[in-house]
Every structure is written in C-alpha cells, then in structure tokens.
C-alpha cells in the first residue's frame, strides 16, 4: 500500500518535458520540511498497486510523473516494473535523498538546503532558488554522480 495525495491528468509545466500530457501520481509524505511545499502530507489515501494502475488506465497517455511529497519514500522496483509492463514512461521528481529504482526513465532532482543527494543518476536538476550558491551546488552534485558512475558523467565539471 502506498499513501497517495492525488492522481490527476494534466500537462507537465516544468523542465524538459514541459507541455507533455502526463498522469501525475502525487505521494503524501516527505522526509524534509520545505516552507514552499504545496503538498498536504496529512491528507491522502492508501492505495494498492492494482488500484493505482486502475486509476491510470482512465487517462489517455503513457507518461507518468511520480511526485510528492517525496516519492522515493514509497516507490520501489515492484511498482516501477508494473508501470513499465503497463506501457508507461516513468518520470520522477525527487529531492534526491533516497535511492530510486534504476528502471525509472527520467529523474528530476530538486535538491534542498542541508540535505545530501545520494542519487547515482540525475537527468534534470531543478533548483528552488533561495539565495544559495547554485554553481557550488551543481558542482557538488555532478562530482557525486561522477564518483558513483564515471562512465556516464553527464557534463564536465570545471
């Protein structure tokens, strides 16, 4: 069972996939407390994977965006495999503080102040700017990824 805040159909409004029709699965719950968070973590319902898949079948697209809250607290290889078997292209928006299944097609990491990113792969970096040194953050994350997986270093770090 997974605690779901809401499942809805919309257009992705941010990042690389902007304008793409998508089904959003918003999980309820997070390991961090951010003043700008738009998720009500006290609400939501517990749903089985089968109930989630049945809800997804009602929408006319194959892109699924796992968001939250923090989806890495709830998502595992079992759910990802079921989504793949259902023909879904899976994107995740995460704070990066927990490992995620390798099978996820696109990972957007939105690192938060004073939280350590542990991901071995990031396809897109999304930063909520609050005056922090963005360049230092970018270099630290890239160095972490290169250390974890040097053969797939996304871009050179200067």
């Amino acid at each position: 069972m997974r605690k779901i805040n809401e499942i809805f159909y919309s257009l992705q409004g941010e990042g690389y996939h902007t304008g793409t029709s998508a089904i959003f699965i918003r999980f309820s719950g997070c390991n961090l407390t951010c003043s700008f968070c738009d998720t009500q973590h006290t609400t939501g319902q517990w749903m089985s994977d089968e109930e989630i898949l049945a809800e997804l079948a009602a929408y006319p697209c194959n892109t699924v965006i796992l968001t939250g809250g923090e989806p890495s607290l709830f998502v595992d290889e079992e759910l990802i495999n079921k989504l793949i078997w259902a023909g879904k292209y899976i994107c995740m928006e995460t704070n990066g503080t927990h490992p995620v299944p390798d099978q996820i097609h696109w990972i957007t990491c939105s690192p938060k102040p004073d939280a350590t990113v542990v991901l071995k792969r990031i396809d897109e970096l999304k930063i909520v700017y609050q005056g922090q040194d963005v360049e230092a953050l970018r270099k630290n994350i890239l160095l972490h990824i290169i250390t974890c997986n040097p053969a797939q270093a996304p871009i050179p770090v200067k």
Side-chain angles (χ1 to χ4, degrees), residues 33-142:
T33 304
C34 301
S35 61
F36 51 82
C37 185
D38 60 356
T39 301
Q40 298 297 320
H41 299 292
T42 57
T43 61
Q45 63 181 346
W46 291 95
M47 296 177 72
S48 69
D49 291 351
E50 291 68 30
E51 291 170 321
I52 293 169
L53 289 167
E55 179 109 7
L56 298 182
Y59 300 106
C61 73
N62 290 324
T63 300
V64 172
I65 299 176
L66 308 172
T67 188
E70 178 49 45
S72 68
L73 300 175
F74 300 94
V75 172
D76 55 22
E77 285 188 25
E78 182 179 357
L79 175 61
I80 297 304
N81 286 333
K82 287 177 181 178
L83 292 170
I84 291 170
W85 293 330
K88 303 303 182 188
Y89 176 78
I90 306 157
C91 303
M92 178 184 277
E93 298 175 346
T94 175
N95 62 31
T97 59
H98 288 90
V100 301
D102 292 335
Q103 303 93 322
I104 295 171
H105 299 109
W106 187 266
I107 299 170
T108 299
C109 180
S110 181
K112 305 301 186 277
D114 302 321
T116 301
V117 172
V118 300
L119 299 178
K120 294 180 180 176
R121 185 186 110 230
I122 297 172
D123 299 297
E124 180 175 30
L125 189 60
K126 179 171 74 173
I127 298 172
V128 177
Y129 183 69
Q130 296 180 303
Q132 71 272 40
D133 183 350
V134 175
E135 187 60 21
L137 180 62
R138 181 187 76 86
K139 285 182 179 180
N140 287 339
I141 289 172
L142 287 174

